[in-house]
């Protein structure tokens, strides 16, 4: 998920990954000081040039500056935001290298980077922050006046070589499967959503929408001890996914008996916690109808 401009829509299908073709890692000697980055030749990249205009082309590569790291992306998630960018519904720079759900390996480092080493497997927090505005200085970087998103305003991970500040590259366990590592960013969004919802263990929770984000919400709810955890989705394969992720019950919202049956699982009180992981006015109205007195609704899909 990226929040550079308007909020994003969670992905509508199972996470897809794009794995760059195998090749030897690129390395360079870390720069000795704050000197301009030298050219590192060219690398293939997937770039957005306008609605329905995405091209695979060679782009200039460079070495990292002292505070930066160079990554060889291994897996990049295709997010719902990417679909909206390509459709022309979400503003993005032109041309920009797409991809903000990234797992890659560090291939080169600037001299001022701490806590990482060449060869580390990392994921990327996909925003560039100025670090100098009042919000950044207060530790509220998500409100940064100059925040820009990788894969939206800045070149993202659908390439052989991505350069990012070392401070936003987070080491993953060495044995992490790359496509799972690429799910770190959407999972972090779900964790944040659950933190905002603040559910109490032992109470019921309802999730509308069992795509990747909704399925992760189901798993987090089970891990938090909520019960029953119920999911609503009109697609059979999505309902199966919700069950696989730990839902106690699933329903097709187009079934006229679904809401009454789901409510009965709460003793008739309704759900104290409801998550809209779809982003639909119709779904939000249904969420209000099924919420209990004093219930909380998390509007996650937008």
């Amino acid at each position: 998920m990226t929040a550079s401009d308007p909020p994003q829509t969670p992905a509508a299908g199972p996470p897809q990954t794009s794995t760059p073709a195998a090749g030897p890692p690129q390395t360079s000697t870390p720069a000795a000081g704050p000197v301009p980055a030298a050219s590192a030749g060219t690398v293939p990249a997937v770039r957005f040039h306008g609605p329905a205009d995405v091209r695979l082309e060679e782009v200039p590569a460079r070495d990292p500056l002292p505070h930066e790291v160079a990554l060889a992306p291994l897996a990049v998630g295709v997010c719902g935001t990417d679909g909206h960018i390509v459709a022309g519904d979400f503003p993005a720079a032109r041309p920009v290298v797409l991809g903000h759900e990234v797992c890659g390996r560090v291939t080169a480092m600037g001299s001022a980077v701490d806590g990482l080493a060449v060869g580390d497997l990392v994921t990327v927090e996909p925003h560039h922050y100025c670090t100098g505005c009042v919000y950044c200085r207060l530790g509220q970087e998500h409100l940064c006046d100059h925040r820009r998103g990788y894969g939206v305003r800045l070149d993202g991970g659908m390439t052989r070589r991505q350069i990012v500040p070392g401070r936003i590259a987070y080491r993953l366990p060495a044995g992490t499967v790359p496509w799972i590592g690429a799910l770190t960013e959407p999972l972090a969004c779900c964790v944040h959503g659950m933190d905002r919802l603040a559910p109490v263990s032992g109470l019921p929770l309802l999730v509308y929408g069992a795509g990747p984000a909704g399925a992760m919400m189901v798993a987090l709810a089970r891990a938090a001890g909520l019960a029953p955890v119920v999911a609503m989705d009109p697609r059979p394969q999505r309902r199966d996914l919700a069950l696989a992720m730990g839902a106690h019950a699933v329903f097709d919202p187009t079934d006229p008996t679904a809401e009454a049956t789901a409510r009965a699982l709460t003793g008739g009180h309704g759900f104290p916690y409801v998550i809209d992981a779809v982003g639909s006015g119709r779904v939000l109205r249904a969420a209000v109808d099924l919420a209990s007195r004093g219930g909380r609704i998390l509007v996650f899909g937008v």
Side-chain angles (χ1 to χ4, degrees):
M1 178 175 296
T2 187
S4 304
D5 287 294
Q8 79 152 39
T9 303
Q16 305 175 51
T17 57
S18 172
T19 305
Q26 304 179 49
T27 59
S28 65
T29 303
V35 296
S39 171
T42 63
V43 291
V46 176
R47 293 212 290 183
F48 168 75
H49 286 266
D53 186 0
V54 178
R55 308 176 196 173
L56 176 63
E57 53 195 10
E58 292 290 321
V59 300
R62 65 175 178 84
D63 293 329
L65 292 170
H67 68 287
E68 296 176 326
V69 296
L71 308 178
L74 301 176
V76 181
V78 178
C79 174
T81 298
D82 296 311
H84 287 288
I85 289 172
V86 174
D89 299 329
F90 191 101
R94 303 181 193 183
V96 69
V97 178
L98 295 172
H100 60 271
E101 300 174 359
V102 179
C103 175
R105 198 168 297 282
V106 176
T107 59
M109 293 172 44
S111 58
V113 175
D114 292 324
L116 292 173
V118 171
D120 281 346
L121 190 69
V122 298
T123 189
V124 175
E125 199 288 295
H127 290 97
H128 184 277
Y129 305 105
C130 75
T131 73
C133 71
V134 62
Y135 299 109
C136 285
R137 293 167 73 89
L138 287 171
Q140 298 174 325
E141 290 183 327
H142 61 294
L143 302 177
C144 174
D145 286 328
H146 309 288
R147 182 188 62 205
R148 290 179 294 166
Y150 289 92
V152 181
R153 298 291 185 185
L154 301 171
D155 285 340
M158 292 188 185
T159 180
R160 289 276 184 86
R161 185 179 181 89
Q162 183 183 13
I163 306 291
V164 299
R167 66 191 299 271
I168 64 170
Y170 291 84
R171 184 189 296 111
L172 296 169
T176 302
V177 177
W179 73 264
I180 292 177
L183 287 171
T184 303
E185 189 271 345
L187 177 60
C189 295
C190 292
V191 170
H192 175 67
M194 290 295 285
D195 286 345
R196 295 299 299 270
L197 188 62
V200 175
S201 177
L203 294 179
L205 178 141
L206 171 64
V207 180
Y208 272 97
M216 283 190 259
M217 289 293 196
V218 166
L220 290 171
R222 280 299 301 264
L226 282 94
V229 175
V230 178
M232 291 263 192
D233 199 292
R235 290 156 291 191
Q237 66 272 27
R238 293 289 179 85
R239 296 197 295 272
D240 290 343
L241 175 61
L243 289 171
M245 295 294 277
H248 295 97
V250 295
F251 296 96
D252 179 350
T254 65
D255 181 343
T257 68
E259 291 191 4
T261 308
R263 182 183 293 275
L265 297 176
T266 70
H269 300 293
F271 290 85
Y273 307 106
V274 184
I275 298 173
D276 171 9
V278 177
S280 158
R282 176 187 55 78
V283 167
L284 183 56
R285 177 54 191 261
V288 172
D289 290 342
L290 273 176
S292 66
R293 292 184 180 182
R296 297 177 187 171
I297 298 174
L298 173 66
V299 182
F300 189 82
V302 292

